[in-house]
Amino acid sequence: MKTFFKKYKHILWFSYGFLYLPWFIYLENHVTTNYNVIHMEIDDKIPFISVFIIPYLLWFVYVAAVLLYQCFTNASDFTRNCVFLFTGMTIFLIVSTLYPNGHHLRPEVYPDSSIFTKMVMALHATDTPTNLFPSIHVYNSIGTHFAVIHSSTLKDKKAIRIFSFVLMISICMSTVFLKQHSMFDVLTGILMAVVIYPLAYRREVLPFGQRRKELRVKKTD
């Protein structure tokens, strides 16, 4: 066990969950009625398409799979990914705390009783239409794709990079087609990703416990 943690000490990044999850659950339980309504005119023109529940749910696998893969293959890639994701997620929590928000976009009557629609109904029953922007589904999808295209171990895996891009786009689209988010949430998620990108990918980011002098020595070797 001691050897494991010495080799994978960067796994401590996952302790961020002890900050994020309680804070997010608190917001979900307390931001229920008295909130600022998020809406754009284009929201009313976007149809409800239940089949997009598939990429929407794949988001959980997508983000987790890339994080775990990088955790056990490349500490630097993993650290950059964590810096990107966790910075945006913290900003999201602060925004939702200071500016409680939600939307009224979900259909009052669902158009059919297909398996996909039933899955969306189950999602809507468990996930409140509050704490929406910037959209973490959008932001983390973009961040995960950044992690894939910047991965030192996936740079020659063209098929994976293409699949990642298609999945990222599909997930972003799913947020509005399932009436989970307003277009405003999507746009602010994209904007935040553009702003945070240089912080994680245009500067030197070191894994846990590694000093700059040690990094220079490794590069020289």
Side-chain angles (χ1 to χ4, degrees):
M1 186 65 69
K2 183 178 180 181
T3 302
F4 175 86
F5 279 105
K6 184 176 180 180
K7 183 178 180 180
Y8 297 109
K9 53 194 168 190
H10 50 277
I11 204 171
L12 288 172
W13 275 104
F14 286 124
S15 62
Y16 174 76
F18 293 110
L19 168 67
Y20 181 83
L21 289 175
W23 194 343
F24 179 76
I25 292 171
Y26 172 83
L27 291 172
E28 285 287 279
N29 291 333
H30 289 79
V31 181
T32 55
T33 55
N34 187 24
Y35 54 76
N36 300 280
V37 177
I38 305 299
H39 182 265
M40 294 183 73
E41 189 173 334
I42 192 174
D43 294 331
D44 302 324
K45 299 177 182 179
I46 298 174
F48 172 79
I49 305 178
S50 61
V51 72
F52 274 92
I53 187 66
I54 302 303
Y56 187 87
L57 294 179
L58 281 176
W59 175 83
F60 296 95
V61 178
Y62 180 46
V63 175
V66 173
L67 272 172
L68 288 173
Y69 171 78
Q70 291 186 325
C71 180
F72 295 106
T73 57
N74 189 290
S76 294
D77 289 345
F78 174 74
T79 299
R80 289 183 184 279
N81 193 5
C82 289
V83 168
F84 184 94
L85 297 183
F86 300 163
T87 299
M89 291 163 69
T90 303
I91 292 173
F92 157 76
L93 290 172
I94 294 172
V95 170
S96 296
T97 301
L98 299 180
Y99 188 78
N101 59 87
H103 71 61
H104 299 157
L105 299 174
R106 293 178 176 178
E108 295 183 4
V109 179
Y110 292 89
D112 57 60
S113 58
S114 70
I115 182 63
F116 299 121
T117 299
K118 289 179 179 178
M119 291 171 69
V120 177
M121 292 172 66
L123 172 66
H124 287 177
T126 57
D127 186 24
T128 67
T130 56
N131 310 310
L132 302 171
F133 85 95
S135 169
I136 290 302
H137 243 70
V138 170
Y139 178 82
N140 280 8
S141 296
I142 296 172
T144 301
H145 182 62
F146 283 160
V148 169
I149 62 177
H150 283 281
S151 171
S152 57
T153 56
L154 297 176
K155 59 183 179 182
D156 297 322
K157 308 294 184 182
K158 185 177 180 180
I160 293 178
R161 291 155 69 96
I162 293 174
F163 175 77
S164 174
F165 177 77
V166 172
L167 182 57
M168 174 195 69
I169 296 298
S170 299
I171 292 171
C172 292
M173 293 172 64
S174 75
T175 62
V176 291
F177 283 127
L178 297 182
K179 301 302 177 180
Q180 281 289 92
H181 284 281
S182 163
M183 182 59 73
F184 179 79
D185 311 326
V186 174
L187 295 176
T188 51
I190 294 172
L191 177 61
M192 185 165 70
V194 171
V195 172
I196 301 301
Y197 176 81
L199 178 65
Y201 291 101
R202 295 303 185 195
R203 62 187 294 272
E204 188 176 56
V205 176
L206 301 181
F208 266 112
Q210 191 173 74
R211 299 177 181 177
R212 295 183 184 279
K213 184 177 180 180
E214 295 173 349
L215 185 66
R216 285 195 295 271
V217 170
K218 286 186 177 182
K219 287 182 176 180
T220 302
D221 294 341

